[in-house]
Amino acid sequence: MSHRILLVDDEVDILEFLSYNLQRAGYEVHTAQNGVEGLEVARRVRPHLILLDRMMPVMDGVETCRRIREDEALKHTHIVFLSALGGEDDQLSGFDAGADDYLAKPLPVKLLVSRVQAILKRIGSSKQEAEAEAVTIDAARHTVLCRGEELQLPRKEFALLELLYSRAGQLITREEIYSRIWGQEVIVGDRTIDVHIRKLRQKIGEGHIQTVKGVGYMFEK
């Protein structure tokens, strides 16, 4: 499936010209003529890349960028400003709004297509790297798959990882972990959880289990 690109610009001739050239390059292209329409289209088609003008009616590009960044469903969308406002302050305000890159008009179409290809290639590489680092749990077989390798974990380590994984993105307190994994009738040392967390990080990587100091832990997929 080709990458989806959303063009947001109030100048119809620019939309038509860029759409034609990006479609020739093999991309699925969608368009919008202002920020409000752009946000609606983005939510509907979930583009991989948005090329966004700054000076538009109804809602300008900077505010549109902010709104996109606030939408959880669009958090992985790459946003690039394509604007005649190319000054340093303009670019800084664009990056402050959440843009990933900033291109100044006018830009030769061949160069623009080349930049788009490079950006989407980089997005693809980042996705592959993230997938390679992903952790999945097979509760029935009591196994963990990480970096293409099947791991057999000791019972307590597996139970701890399964608990954190089942509530990914949520903070789980140390007290709840003790209760759920070791039981209220079992007396364990204060560092028991820390030791198990350290062993899990050694096996699945450092980035998945986040420590909230003095409170508990959180799993990030």
Side-chain angles (χ1 to χ4, degrees), residues 105-141:
K105 296 177 182 176
L107 187 69
V109 67
K110 288 185 178 179
L111 181 56
L112 175 62
V113 172
S114 178
R115 292 292 295 272
V116 166
Q117 290 172 337
I119 290 167
L120 291 174
K121 184 178 180 180
R122 188 166 69 244
I123 294 172
S125 297
S126 298
K127 182 179 179 181
Q128 289 174 356
E129 289 171 3
E131 290 174 346
E133 292 294 321
V135 172
T136 55
I137 292 180
D138 187 335
R141 298 179 60 231

Side-chain angles (χ1 to χ4, degrees), residues 156-172:
K156 292 297 186 185
E157 286 181 29
F158 182 85
L160 175 56
L161 180 60
E162 186 178 30
L163 172 62
L164 294 169
Y165 184 90
S166 68
R167 289 160 58 182
Q170 299 180 32
L171 171 64
I172 303 181

Side-chain angles (χ1 to χ4, degrees), residues 164-184:
L164 294 169
Y165 184 90
S166 68
R167 289 160 58 182
Q170 299 180 32
L171 171 64
I172 303 181
T173 65
R174 296 173 66 88
E175 290 76 14
E176 182 178 354
I177 292 172
Y178 276 128
S179 176
R180 296 281 298 275
I181 305 302
W182 281 272
Q184 295 179 344

Side-chain angles (χ1 to χ4, degrees), residues 51-211:
L51 293 178
L52 182 62
D53 189 25
R54 286 191 53 141
M55 298 180 291
M56 295 183 295
V58 186
M59 185 164 67
D60 67 16
V62 170
E63 181 61 24
T64 303
C65 185
R66 290 197 184 99
R67 298 282 186 91
I68 292 169
R69 284 292 174 246
E70 292 170 356
D71 193 317
E72 184 69 17
L74 298 171
K75 66 180 181 180
H76 296 303
T77 299
H78 206 86
I79 302 174
V80 177
F81 276 108
L82 181 61
S83 174
L85 298 176
E88 182 178 348
D89 288 342
D90 298 315
Q91 295 189 39
L92 288 173
S93 65
F95 287 121
D96 286 342
D100 297 287
D101 206 344
Y102 201 109
L103 302 177
K105 296 177 182 176
L107 187 69
V109 67
K110 288 185 178 179
L111 181 56
L112 175 62
V113 172
S114 178
R115 292 292 295 272
V116 166
Q117 290 172 337
I119 290 167
L120 291 174
K121 184 178 180 180
R122 188 166 69 244
I123 294 172
S125 297
S126 298
K127 182 179 179 181
Q128 289 174 356
E129 289 171 3
E131 290 174 346
E133 292 294 321
V135 172
T136 55
I137 292 180
D138 187 335
R141 298 179 60 231
H142 206 269
T143 59
V144 175
L145 185 66
C146 181
R147 294 185 292 272
E149 178 184 357
E150 189 173 89
L151 306 177
Q152 296 282 349
L153 301 180
R155 186 168 59 89
K156 292 297 186 185
E157 286 181 29
F158 182 85
L160 175 56
L161 180 60
E162 186 178 30
L163 172 62
L164 294 169
Y165 184 90
S166 68
R167 289 160 58 182
Q170 299 180 32
L171 171 64
I172 303 181
T173 65
R174 296 173 66 88
E175 290 76 14
E176 182 178 354
I177 292 172
Y178 276 128
S179 176
R180 296 281 298 275
I181 305 302
W182 281 272
Q184 295 179 344
E185 302 302 321
V186 178
I187 299 176
V188 294
D190 290 339
R191 306 297 293 175
T192 300
I193 294 179
D194 302 328
V195 171
H196 281 71
I197 291 291
R198 185 171 68 249
K199 290 180 178 179
L200 284 174
R201 284 172 172 159
Q202 290 171 349
K203 294 171 182 177
I204 68 171
E206 296 288 332
H208 290 291
I209 302 176
Q210 308 299 321
T211 301

